[in-house]
Amino acid sequence: MKKTIYTMFILCGTFMLAQEAKSDTAEVSNTKEIQEVIVKAQRKKQFADKAVYTFDKEALERARYAKDLLQTLPELQLDPVGNTITSTKGGTILFLINGVEATDLQIRSVTPGEVVKVEYYDIPPARWATRADTVVNILTRSTETGYVFGTEVFSALNTGFINGSAYANYTKGKNNFGLEYSLSLRDYNDRRVSSIYDYQLNGSHYRSDENRKDHFGYTFQNIALRYTRMVPDDYAFQAKLNMDIFSRFSKGVGQSIFTQDNLGEEHSMFKNNGSDYMIPKLDLYYSKKMGEKDELSINLVGSHYTTNTSETAKEWITASGLSVYDNDMMLKAKQTSFVGELAHVHDFKAGKLSSGYRISRSSISNDLNNLTGYSQYNVNYLEQYFYTEFSGKVDQFSYRVGAGLTNIHNKSAENIFDEWTFTPKVILGYQLKNNHNLRFTGSYSPVSPWSNALSSNVVQLAPNIVQRGNPFLKSQQVFSNNLTYSFNNKYFDFNAALFYRYTDRIINQYYVLDESGGYALTYENGKSGQRYGIQLTGSYKPFGNNLLVVKAVITPTSEMVKTSTGALIKNDFLGNYFVLSSEYKAFSLQYQFNIPTYSLSGAFLNTNENQNNIFIRYKHKNWTFSTGMYWMGMPSEYKTKSLPESLVDYKIHTQIMNNKSMFVLGLSYDFSKGKKTEIQKKLNNDTAPAATF
């Protein structure tokens, strides 16, 4: 595997270095000085931690809004299911408009003509590094008065699939008002699940072969109201009230063949579960200029809400009706979350110094009924983060050096974990030629366990099999290195990244003998984990324009986990993703596909979601008409299998038959007059997600 990776890197680097060394970049002004520029061709400027893109007149005229421009970036794509922009490389992505954290609808509210440039951070600055893998900042022009509004609906014709949204913004003088609403609805009545549990227990061989059909779905709604006041070169204030409303359900019935040694019997079952929450969230931001070289910013985010989660599962012998297991779990979690951050930026002649402190705290009160009876317990998650970093440039050499101190303090019903970790980071960049760049990144950081991994909850999965959390988990320590070569010209935008990631005390999911007499699927801190490989990403325009664009991500990867007992778990896979797109006048077409692969996840190997989607769009004035088909000729499907080292041999295959060759239609209307005022918000935070199991 190592030889393959190194050979591919050398070949790709040799090929790209042999290309014509043609300058196709534009110098980028300081983000504080957004000026009117006219670009005659789409251009890219590569820095140590980011790339800056500008757009030609044709692209600006063809796009409906800024979101369409983001799709043209080599490492961004339109997620067809959520209708949102995501990274082709995966991971969490954060969007900003002039430094302000932005939603998908806010990006839609920016007309293409307002966009000056887009900053694409594949190495996020310190203030965002713990929250996102990629940061995209859209820089726009602003005037004093304007309004914009729009609406969109995207729906399947023969099953429950709807994406809908509406937005409106109004600017008057130094004040801006915004209102947003979005809806995602899924209602599928034909999800088919086949699973097998195979294991030895007390000298006997057991096997549970289950087939189930589910009716499941969810509804997610978001309502946001914003007020912004900006006094240029003085201060900026923003208040945002956000409401997330979510509910999901699953109702399934099925049969299984349960075998003990050579004796088999038919079982029947049903499995129902669901959860819901309503999260009101208040986000306050204030930034103050202090002289010509200093700026102080503060961001406060708070929320308080209740999450209700329930699960009912029963299995019985079909012939006699005798119960095999009866699982009822109800969890009511009252959660209060708070995030506060204070940051300071000072501009030196040689570079920029950024420093700050962030604290995030989540307190959860749990009322739980499960297999072990009733319990009431509290958990608290606290994280503090001090950071400072200096960035600068000397001739063709650019750098960013940072240091941080992170404290994780988790208090569960049974354990307290408290640890301080030094978190350094270094980024070095060198411009080989006008369109050839080499970059190195090294960092060390802690990763706290997620809430359900720390939970004391217990649920029944199958006869003799339960699932439980582990309140004694410690945080992971992640050491990450990347060496990236970038090349771009009129036809190519290419990145080849050698990566190595070492994780100490890696959180690993595995099966153990349980005190109940069967097996439990739980979590442990393994000794270590490693992941290394090469990621090849980019786009190719054979005609030098958007008439035909090929995007690809190919990632040969090796991964390894060493468990607490010293057992070694290894896996190799070839990650991949491809997009073919075409734009001609008012028409556009996009085709997406991949070949699913197995990657390591605790005690299991999981496949990523299969894709085989095609979409066509036609724009007429302010109207856009869309159609397409998801998962052409196939249902969406997901596979999981346990590792040979596992005490329980487990396999599951899930198919959603409702979205096989799912035909969809879409309609959107977007209108704008004038432009709205934006602020350059330097801090962007969010509270912890809802605690479920």
Side-chain angles (χ1 to χ4, degrees):
M1 185 67 185
K2 292 181 181 178
K3 292 181 178 179
T4 302
I5 292 169
Y6 297 151
T7 301
M8 292 181 70
F9 182 78
I10 292 170
L11 288 175
C12 292
T14 302
F15 171 73
M16 288 302 155
L17 286 169
Q19 302 297 314
E20 178 186 5
K22 178 181 178 182
S23 176
D24 196 27
T25 60
E27 289 297 328
V28 180
S29 63
N30 189 292
T31 57
K32 293 182 179 179
E33 299 175 358
I34 303 175
Q35 299 176 352
E36 184 89 9
V37 292
I38 298 175
V39 182
K40 295 183 179 180
Q42 181 168 329
R43 298 178 177 180
K44 175 185 178 182
K45 178 71 174 179
Q46 183 68 58
F47 295 88
D49 60 345
K50 67 181 178 181
V52 178
Y53 290 89
T54 53
F55 302 92
D56 57 25
K57 181 179 178 182
E58 183 182 356
L60 295 174
E61 291 176 347
R62 183 182 295 114
R64 296 169 293 174
Y65 31 63
K67 181 177 174 181
D68 287 345
L69 296 176
L70 296 184
Q71 289 181 238
T72 67
L73 270 61
E75 294 180 336
L76 296 181
Q77 60 155 338
L78 179 67
D79 172 23
V81 178
N83 194 30
T84 57
I85 300 294
T86 60
S87 171
T88 57
K89 300 187 297 182
T92 304
I93 188 167
L94 177 67
F95 292 99
L96 315 172
I97 299 176
N98 294 331
V100 184
E101 185 171 352
T103 64
D104 182 78
L105 289 179
Q106 284 176 268
I107 298 172
R108 279 187 59 191
S109 70
V110 178
T111 59
E114 293 180 43
V115 177
V116 176
K117 57 190 175 184
V118 172
E119 297 176 330
Y120 175 87
Y121 291 88
D122 54 354
I123 307 171
R127 63 181 178 270
W128 299 311
T130 59
R131 295 190 51 214
D133 302 290
T134 302
V135 174
V136 177
N137 186 24
I138 305 169
L139 297 173
T140 70
R141 306 175 181 88
S142 299
T143 55
E144 291 299 310
T145 303
Y147 59 89
V148 57
F149 62 87
T151 185
E152 181 177 46
V153 63
F154 207 66
S155 176
L157 299 184
N158 58 352
T159 190
F161 178 96
I162 299 174
N163 287 329
S165 60
Y167 65 91
N169 282 282
Y170 176 70
T171 300
K172 181 66 174 178
K174 299 179 178 63
N175 303 292
N176 171 257
F177 302 87
L179 178 65
E180 301 171 12
Y181 173 77
S182 63
L183 166 71
S184 295
L185 183 146
R186 307 291 184 267
D187 192 343
Y188 297 140
N189 59 11
D190 192 3
R191 178 173 64 177
R192 302 176 188 180
V193 183
S194 300
S195 62
I196 296 174
Y197 291 91
D198 194 298
Y199 52 92
Q200 297 284 337
L201 185 64
N202 299 325
S204 294
H205 174 249
Y206 291 87
R207 181 183 175 94
S208 179
D209 196 336
E210 175 186 320
N211 288 281
R212 191 174 75 247
K213 183 178 179 181
D214 292 347
H215 177 198
F216 84 101
Y218 66 84
T219 302
F220 178 79
Q221 301 176 80
N222 174 264
I223 305 170
L225 178 65
R226 295 186 314 277
Y227 168 70
T228 303
R229 178 171 175 84
M230 185 183 73
V231 179
D233 299 318
D234 189 4
Y235 73 89
F237 171 76
Q238 178 174 276
K240 181 178 179 181
L241 181 61
N242 190 80
M243 180 76 75
D244 290 334
I245 306 170
F246 176 80
S247 64
R248 67 169 179 86
F249 71 91
S250 177
K251 299 177 181 179
V253 295
Q255 297 78 37
S256 72
I257 303 298
F258 182 74
T259 304
Q260 180 178 356
D261 295 325
N262 296 321
L263 300 177
E265 57 188 15
E266 293 186 3
H267 289 186
S268 298
M269 69 186 68
F270 72 82
K271 294 185 176 182
N272 299 341
N273 62 73
S275 66
D276 63 79
Y277 58 75
M278 183 181 296
I279 306 178
K281 193 180 303 177
L282 180 62
D283 185 339
L284 300 176
Y285 168 78
Y286 180 76
S287 178
K288 174 70 174 177
K289 298 285 291 184
M290 304 176 69
E292 295 182 357
K293 296 184 177 182
D294 293 271
E295 185 174 13
L296 191 66
S297 304
I298 185 170
N299 186 210
L300 303 174
V301 186
S303 63
H304 177 75
Y305 60 98
T306 299
T307 301
N308 296 295
T309 305
S310 64
E311 181 171 315
T312 302
K314 300 181 186 295
E315 185 168 327
W316 63 93
I317 300 173
T318 304
S320 64
L322 185 65
S323 176
V324 176
Y325 70 79
D326 191 338
N327 175 53
D328 285 301
M329 187 274 291
M330 294 192 67
L331 173 64
K332 177 178 285 189
K334 296 181 179 179
Q335 185 166 336
T336 301
S337 297
F338 170 79
V339 179
E341 184 170 4
L342 180 68
H344 173 258
V345 177
H346 179 80
D347 288 323
F348 292 95
K349 186 175 181 180
K352 179 181 292 186
L353 178 67
S354 302
S355 304
Y357 167 73
R358 182 170 68 244
I359 180 172
S360 61
R361 184 179 186 273
S362 291
S363 177
I364 308 172
S365 175
N366 297 279
D367 286 298
L368 174 65
N369 270 298
N370 63 9
L371 294 172
T372 61
Y374 174 78
S375 62
Q376 199 286 329
Y377 62 96
N378 297 324
V379 294
N380 292 279
Y381 307 107
L382 175 68
E383 184 169 322
Q384 300 180 79
Y385 178 45
F386 299 86
Y387 62 87
T388 185
E389 66 176 6
F390 185 83
S391 58
K393 184 177 182 181
V394 180
D395 296 326
Q396 304 302 310
F397 177 74
S398 54
Y399 60 92
R400 198 174 87 206
V401 180
L405 190 62
T406 302
N407 171 239
I408 294 176
H409 182 93
N410 294 332
K411 182 180 180 181
S412 67
E414 304 175 42
N415 185 47
I416 296 177
F417 174 79
D418 186 271
E419 185 176 69
W420 290 86
T421 306
F422 177 62
T423 55
K425 188 170 189 175
V426 60
I427 301 169
L428 306 174
Y430 186 76
Q431 187 169 347
L432 301 172
K433 297 179 182 179
N434 288 333
N435 52 352
H436 297 264
N437 293 270
L438 196 64
R439 298 179 290 155
F440 170 78
T441 306
S443 64
Y444 182 76
S445 59
V447 178
S448 182
W450 43 100
S451 60
N452 65 340
L454 289 168
S455 172
S456 302
N457 198 5
V458 181
V459 296
Q460 189 88 39
L461 299 177
N464 302 318
I465 307 286
V466 298
Q467 179 180 352
R468 64 172 74 245
N470 179 4
F472 297 93
L473 287 176
K474 300 178 180 179
S475 66
Q476 304 176 101
Q477 306 285 342
V478 180
F479 177 57
S480 180
N481 292 277
N482 292 271
L483 179 63
T484 305
Y485 165 75
S486 301
F487 165 83
N488 73 283
N489 63 15
K490 183 178 179 180
Y491 303 96
F492 289 95
D493 194 311
F494 173 81
N495 294 281
L498 281 171
F499 62 90
Y500 175 77
R501 180 186 176 102
Y502 177 86
T503 305
D504 189 36
R505 300 192 312 218
I506 188 169
I507 296 175
N508 179 48
Q509 196 175 25
Y510 72 130
Y511 286 101
V512 296
L513 283 170
D514 190 56
E515 58 189 21
S516 62
Y519 288 103
L521 178 63
T522 187
Y523 297 87
E524 68 162 3
N525 280 111
K527 291 186 177 180
S528 64
Q530 295 184 63
R531 174 176 282 206
Y532 60 89
I534 180 172
Q535 186 169 68
L536 308 174
T537 64
S539 65
Y540 172 54
K541 300 179 180 181
F543 304 110
N545 55 35
N546 289 330
L547 184 61
L548 178 62
V549 182
V550 181
K551 289 185 181 181
V553 180
I554 301 175
T555 314
T557 304
S558 287
E559 50 189 358
M560 180 188 71
V561 170
K562 183 179 287 187
T563 68
S564 60
T565 62
L568 213 57
I569 301 170
K570 295 183 178 180
N571 180 55
D572 296 332
F573 67 93
L574 183 63
N576 63 91
Y577 176 76
F578 305 93
V579 179
L580 301 176
S581 63
S582 177
E583 295 183 355
Y584 179 73
K585 294 185 178 180
F587 289 91
S588 63
L589 180 146
Q590 186 178 82
Y591 173 60
Q592 306 167 327
F593 71 97
N594 70 348
I595 302 172
T597 57
Y598 281 99
S599 61
L600 196 60
S601 177
F604 308 105
L605 290 168
N606 297 329
T607 61
N608 53 320
E609 184 179 75
N610 58 316
Q611 295 195 39
N612 190 36
N613 316 310
I614 189 168
F615 304 97
I616 301 173
R617 188 179 73 204
Y618 173 73
K619 178 185 175 184
H620 178 69
K621 296 182 179 179
N622 296 324
W623 295 90
T624 303
F625 306 88
S626 306
T627 187
M629 184 173 289
Y630 293 84
W631 295 287
M632 291 187 296
M634 63 181 71
S636 62
E637 64 178 2
Y638 317 86
K639 298 178 182 179
T640 297
K641 60 182 180 182
S642 57
L643 298 157
E645 297 83 1
S646 177
L647 294 175
V648 176
D649 183 13
Y650 172 67
K651 296 181 178 67
I652 185 169
H653 183 199
T654 302
Q655 293 180 306
I656 304 176
M657 304 307 295
N658 296 87
N659 53 34
K660 178 180 179 181
S661 300
M662 185 172 67
F663 180 70
V664 292
L665 289 175
L667 177 67
S668 70
Y669 178 81
D670 300 275
F671 179 81
S672 65
K673 183 177 181 180
K675 308 176 185 70
K676 60 186 182 304
T677 300
E678 299 288 352
I679 65 174
Q680 294 186 359
K681 181 179 174 186
K682 305 303 179 184
L683 305 177
N684 303 276
N685 292 288
D686 199 0
T687 56
T692 60
F693 189 83

